[in-house]
Amino acid sequence: MKTVSTAAFGLLACLFLAADAHAEEVLFEDTFDDGLSPKWQLEGLDDDDWRIRDGGLELRVQPVTSLKAAPKLTVLLPIAAGDTVAGSVEVTLLDNFTEPDEQAALLLLDEEGIEFRVKKQRIDSNLMFAPGNYVFRGESGEEGDPQKYNVVFTPATDDAGPLRIIVRGDYAYSQVGPSGNGKYLNFFHSAIRRDSKQRGFGLTTMRGPDDEEHWVRFDNFRVVRH
């Protein structure tokens, strides 16, 4: 298990966001105002699984339970090893989630598949941001034991801001924000593959109901490099 303290991650986020704005390079952006960018690849999505409406992308929540099998939109980008990049998207539920672990996610991926994700997910009948914060409750020397950690989840509210994944070196960090008052929420991080030849981001939904339609809206998808 890879974990990071909130203070350490907060410092990383501040350093990342404090970078010279002139050094920020937009690798890909889609506001969905003019339809769906041709750079997207649709994987496993039928025509009635997605739509562009009022300047936003809307996806039907898929009933699949396997992340590998979940239909998704992906875009591969010129991200080199060692680049510091951030992907973000606003996620709004158009229908309340009702199923266990029903979710909408922003994905980090490479040519081999999905590496990391940050999501809005129904957990114990509540809508939460996931992954959560891993809080160590063990003794010194037990840091490698997953049973010595408690996972603390934060309620997922629209005013908390967009879902974000920050990639720095061979680690990916999950974040939400900025909120309306400029605050960021920092969560779990994990090592990612070092030898990836190409990276990108994606959008997916999964674990929805079989007997009714739930829809999720995505706005202002953006990937930048610093």
Side-chain angles (χ1 to χ4, degrees):
M1 172 185 292
K2 299 291 184 180
T3 60
V4 65
S5 71
T6 301
F9 187 13
L11 176 60
L12 169 67
C14 288
L15 291 174
F16 181 86
L17 295 167
D20 185 353
H22 295 292
E24 180 179 282
E25 176 189 1
V26 178
L27 296 180
F28 179 66
E29 186 171 22
D30 197 348
T31 61
F32 308 113
D33 289 330
D34 300 315
L36 192 67
S37 167
K39 293 184 178 181
W40 287 106
Q41 299 179 44
L42 278 68
E43 302 179 19
L45 287 165
D46 295 330
D47 289 343
D48 58 356
D49 288 332
W50 68 278
R51 63 199 181 202
I52 300 293
R53 188 169 65 171
D54 299 328
L57 167 67
E58 297 178 358
L59 295 182
R60 183 173 65 86
V61 183
Q62 302 292 311
V64 298
T65 58
S66 166
L67 178 61
K68 185 176 181 179
K72 53 189 174 291
L73 287 85
T74 63
V75 56
L76 291 175
L77 299 166
I79 299 172
D83 281 351
T84 298
V85 300
S88 63
V89 68
E90 298 169 17
V91 180
T92 306
L93 273 60
L94 301 182
D95 302 287
N96 291 330
F97 285 173
T98 59
E99 306 304 299
D101 295 326
E102 188 172 356
Q103 61 192 259
L106 170 66
L107 309 172
L108 174 70
L109 49 92
D110 67 2
E111 70 278 1
E112 294 187 24
I114 296 169
E115 295 189 278
F116 191 76
R117 56 181 164 162
V118 59
K119 51 195 171 175
K120 288 186 175 181
Q121 179 177 355
R122 190 174 190 264
I123 300 173
D124 295 333
S125 300
N126 297 299
L127 186 65
M128 299 291 187
F129 292 121
N133 282 316
Y134 283 70
V135 181
F136 181 59
R137 301 298 188 190
E139 303 292 335
S140 178
E142 296 179 326
E143 289 81 1
D145 184 353
Q147 302 300 319
K148 301 299 181 179
Y149 291 82
N150 290 342
V151 184
V152 179
F153 294 101
T154 300
T157 58
D158 291 335
D159 59 2
L163 302 183
R164 292 168 56 88
I165 294 176
I166 298 172
V167 179
R168 187 170 186 265
D170 55 352
Y171 282 86
Y173 302 79
S174 54
Q175 188 181 70
V176 174
S179 65
N181 56 10
K183 292 185 177 180
Y184 289 82
L185 301 173
N186 303 307
F187 301 114
F188 181 74
H189 89 302
S190 178
I192 53 179
R193 288 184 281 269
R194 296 183 178 183
D195 56 353
S196 297
K197 297 178 177 61
Q198 193 171 24
R199 280 208 163 90
F201 289 84
L203 306 172
T204 192
T205 62
M206 58 183 294
R207 295 184 178 272
D210 288 311
D211 55 350
E212 63 178 318
E213 291 190 353
H214 289 173
W215 288 82
V216 175
R217 180 181 174 94
F218 296 88
D219 289 283
N220 300 317
F221 181 91
R222 196 166 191 257
V223 181
V224 299
R225 174 165 54 202
H226 282 268

